[in-house]
Amino acid sequence: IDLLVTPGAEASVKTMAEARLPPGVTIEEPRLRKEVVRRTVAGFQAMLSAFALLAVLAGFLICYSRLASIFESRTWEVGLFRAVGLTRLAVFVELLKESLVIGGMGTAIGVVAGAAIGHYGLPAVARATAINFRLPIAVVDAAPASGALLMGALVGLGASVLAALVPAL
């Protein structure tokens, strides 16, 4: 039950209300509830960050596996390059460039998909959170931060190059 009291009468209303409540029922001020909501949302954000890290790890493993099979199926090409005089370093660099191009395409798709999911998904999550915590439903603008887009691009490209290192060697 939410009670709205005139300023200055909080203590007396709290005392009168506590006297009428059955044992085990307590009265909390709104700032305590706000702190609980803040902690809960912070925990939810930490959980989402952990899931994001797991998604990056899964993407890295998928990328590693796929590049390893691609490079293995093309060993005859590597042998041909070596036979015509390319050094091991030159072949290694070419394979890394190829993985960078593939990773760039995947990263571009991922950044666009992530921005779209944020734009359409964030308002739904904000609405569900507001309903869950009995808060006013906020109007959410999901404009992606340029830093987040840059970080996503760097993580995507970095994962593709790191995943290609061992197979390329």
Side-chain angles (χ1 to χ4, degrees):
I1 300 172
D2 290 330
L3 296 175
L4 298 175
V5 296
T6 57
E10 294 93 357
S12 61
V13 171
K14 184 176 180 179
T15 307
M16 289 187 314
E18 283 176 340
R20 297 187 186 271
L21 292 175
V25 178
T26 61
I27 295 178
E28 293 180 350
E29 295 180 33
R31 69 174 180 265
L32 296 175
R33 184 167 171 251
K34 286 180 184 178
E35 185 58 33
V36 169
V37 170
R38 280 192 189 106
R39 279 188 274 145
T40 304
V41 170
F44 185 67
Q45 287 174 334
M47 182 182 65
L48 287 177
S49 296
F51 284 145
L53 183 62
L54 287 174
V56 168
L57 181 63
F60 173 80
L61 291 174
I62 291 168
C63 192
Y64 173 82
S65 174
R66 184 62 186 145
L67 287 173
S69 65
I70 288 173
F71 292 166
E72 185 178 332
S73 70
R74 295 178 39 216
T75 7
W76 67 272
E77 287 180 12
V78 172
L80 188 61
F81 288 147
R82 295 282 289 136
V84 295
L86 264 68
T87 64
R88 286 186 70 152
L89 180 63
V91 173
F92 176 73
V93 169
E94 290 303 317
L95 290 174
L96 284 184
K97 282 192 227 176
E98 182 179 335
S99 70
L100 188 63
V101 169
I102 293 170
M105 290 186 293
T107 298
I109 292 169
V111 166
V112 170
I117 289 169
H119 180 72
Y120 294 108
L122 184 62
V125 170
R127 204 170 23 259
T129 303
I131 290 169
N132 185 41
F133 292 113
R134 292 182 299 258
L135 297 171
I137 297 176
V139 177
V140 179
D141 181 22
S146 60
L149 295 177
L150 179 64
M151 182 67 164
L154 289 176
V155 167
L157 291 174
S160 68
V161 170
L162 285 176
L165 283 177
V166 172
L169 280 174

